[in-house]
Amino acid sequence: YGAPSIILTLFFLLILLIFSLAGLGMGDTKLLALIFFGLQMNSVLDMFLFFTLIFCAALMQIGLQSLVTRRFPNSIAMAPAIFIGLGLYLATGTH
């Protein structure tokens, strides 16, 4: 274990840059970085699974918020989706 490979770290930083340009907040970016380095992801597949689970949780959050307010939200808080995605990632046991 230890630090992730330089290629994986650069790939992760590229993903964070793209998300930041798309409107991800700095707090969410720092949270994702802490999780990435804390979990010591070793492959792109692990990272892809993690981000896929976060997106699924965010889609569920958008859907539920749309049903409750009867309008599509302009923005959402990503921290709940990140924590739910993290929980689902840890539950898969692939790490």
Side-chain angles (χ1 to χ4, degrees):
Y1 288 91
S5 70
I6 190 71
I7 301 296
L8 193 62
T9 303
L10 290 174
F11 186 67
F12 177 75
L13 291 175
L14 177 67
I15 290 173
L16 284 185
L17 176 66
I18 292 169
F19 285 170
S20 294
L21 293 175
L24 186 69
M26 286 306 297
D28 297 327
T29 303
K30 289 184 274 189
L31 177 61
L32 285 172
L34 281 173
I35 291 170
F36 172 75
F37 289 111
L39 287 180
Q40 299 175 345
M41 294 182 189
N42 294 321
S43 70
V44 175
L45 187 61
D46 285 344
M47 196 182 321
F48 179 74
L49 174 64
F50 178 62
F51 282 113
T52 301
L53 292 171
I54 289 173
F55 282 130
C56 289
L59 286 174
M60 289 183 354
Q61 182 179 352
I62 290 169
L64 288 172
Q65 193 171 350
S66 297
L67 286 173
V68 170
T69 62
R70 299 204 184 265
R71 64 182 183 90
F72 194 76
N74 291 336
S75 64
I76 62 167
M78 281 297 295
I82 292 171
F83 285 120
I84 291 170
L86 174 63
L88 291 171
Y89 174 77
L90 292 174
T92 61
T94 58
H95 54 281

